[in-house]
Amino acid sequence: MRAVAVLQARTSSSRLPGKVLLPIAGMPLAVLAALRAVNTGRDLVLATSDERSDDMLAHIALGYGLQVYRGSLRNTLRRVTEALAAYPANTLVFRLTADNVFPDGNLLDEMEERFLAQGSRYLSCGGPESGLPYGVSAELMYLDDLREASALTKDPHDQEHVTPPIIRKYGKNGFERYRELGKSHFRATIDSFDDYISVQQSFVGVSDPVSESYKSLILRLEKAEYQPREEVFADKL
C-alpha cells in the first residue's frame, strides 16, 4: 500500500509571517520539514497557495527538488486533495505542517505500523496523550476519506483545518506509544520568535539535520531557551 506525505505551507502566517522561510540548520524551515519527513523514503507534496505571497516559497521549494502544488489559500482541504489527484483512493496520507520540523520518517513509519495494525481510518500524533512535545505532530488517514470530506463539507472551519470531518466520522484515535515519556509540556512548533530560537538551538551542532532522529532533537529541546518548565500541556499561543 502506498503512502504519501502532504506538507502544508504558507508565508502569510498571522503570528509570525514568513516563518516557513526562516533558516534552520542552513535551510528554510519548510524545506527542512519536508526533507526530514521523507528521510526514510516516501513521496511528499508541498501544498502551498496560489497567492503571490507564496511565489518565493514555491520557487525555493522547487529549487530543492521538492514536488510543489499550489491551490486555494483558504480552502486547505481542497488544496490537499487536489495536490494528490494522481494518487489512488486507498493511498495512506500523512498530513504535516511546515512549522513543525521535528517529525521525521521514523516517526511516520511508526505511525503507519500502528495505523495498519489497528485497522484504523484515522490516527493523530499530538496532544498530551502522545507524550511528545507540542509540534511533534502528524495525522494519518486514507485519501478516499479526504476526498469524501472535501466533496461534502461546506464549513469554512472544516475546509481550513482539513481533518475535522474525518475525526467526526471515525473518532480521534491517538498515537500513544510515548504517552509515559511526559514531554508534552515542551514546544517543538514555531508560532513565535521565541519558538524559532528554541527550535533553532535544538539543531545547533547537528551534523546532518535531515537525518537526525526526532528523539534526539527532543532531548536537545529540553536544554533550549524559552521552553516552559511547568508540566502543563503546551498549545498554540
Side-chain angles (χ1 to χ4, degrees), residues 19-40:
K19 64 183 178 181
V20 296
L21 296 177
L22 290 173
I24 297 284
M27 281 176 275
L29 176 64
V31 170
L32 182 56
L35 295 178
R36 286 181 52 76
V38 299
N39 66 11
T40 59

Side-chain angles (χ1 to χ4, degrees), residues 53-203:
S53 59
D54 286 317
D55 285 352
M56 183 58 69
L57 169 60
H59 175 75
I60 290 173
L62 288 169
Y64 276 88
L66 297 174
Q67 183 180 348
V68 175
Y69 177 80
R70 303 188 68 177
S72 171
L73 174 64
R74 300 192 183 282
N75 191 336
T76 313
L77 174 55
R78 186 174 69 201
R79 189 200 321 162
V80 167
T81 56
E82 289 175 349
L84 301 176
Y87 289 85
N90 67 343
T91 300
L92 297 177
V93 180
F94 289 93
R95 176 178 176 254
L96 304 163
T97 58
D99 52 0
N100 295 333
V101 74
F102 276 34
D104 64 359
N106 289 313
L107 176 63
L108 302 192
D109 290 345
E110 291 174 6
M111 288 183 64
E112 183 173 342
E113 178 185 8
R114 180 65 59 87
F115 183 89
L116 294 173
Q118 292 178 337
S120 304
R121 298 294 299 191
Y122 174 84
L123 182 64
S124 173
C125 180
E129 68 276 3
S130 74
L132 300 170
Y134 181 69
V136 185
S137 308
E139 293 175 289
L140 178 56
M141 66 221 79
Y142 284 100
L143 179 53
D144 58 347
D145 290 326
L146 278 169
R147 287 173 174 165
E148 179 185 63
S150 183
L152 295 179
T153 187
K154 305 299 181 185
D155 186 337
H157 179 270
D158 289 351
Q159 292 172 346
E160 178 184 358
H161 296 284
V162 181
T163 55
I166 298 174
I167 294 170
R168 287 196 297 270
K169 185 172 182 178
Y170 296 111
K172 191 171 184 179
N173 181 32
F175 179 71
E176 301 181 6
R177 176 175 292 183
Y178 301 105
R179 187 184 187 101
E180 302 307 316
L181 192 63
K183 304 294 184 186
S184 61
H185 59 294
F186 288 100
R187 293 181 59 82
T189 194
I190 297 180
D191 278 333
S192 69
F193 196 72
D194 285 356
D195 288 337
Y196 169 62
I197 294 298
S198 190
V199 171
Q200 187 183 56
Q201 287 179 348
S202 302
F203 281 89

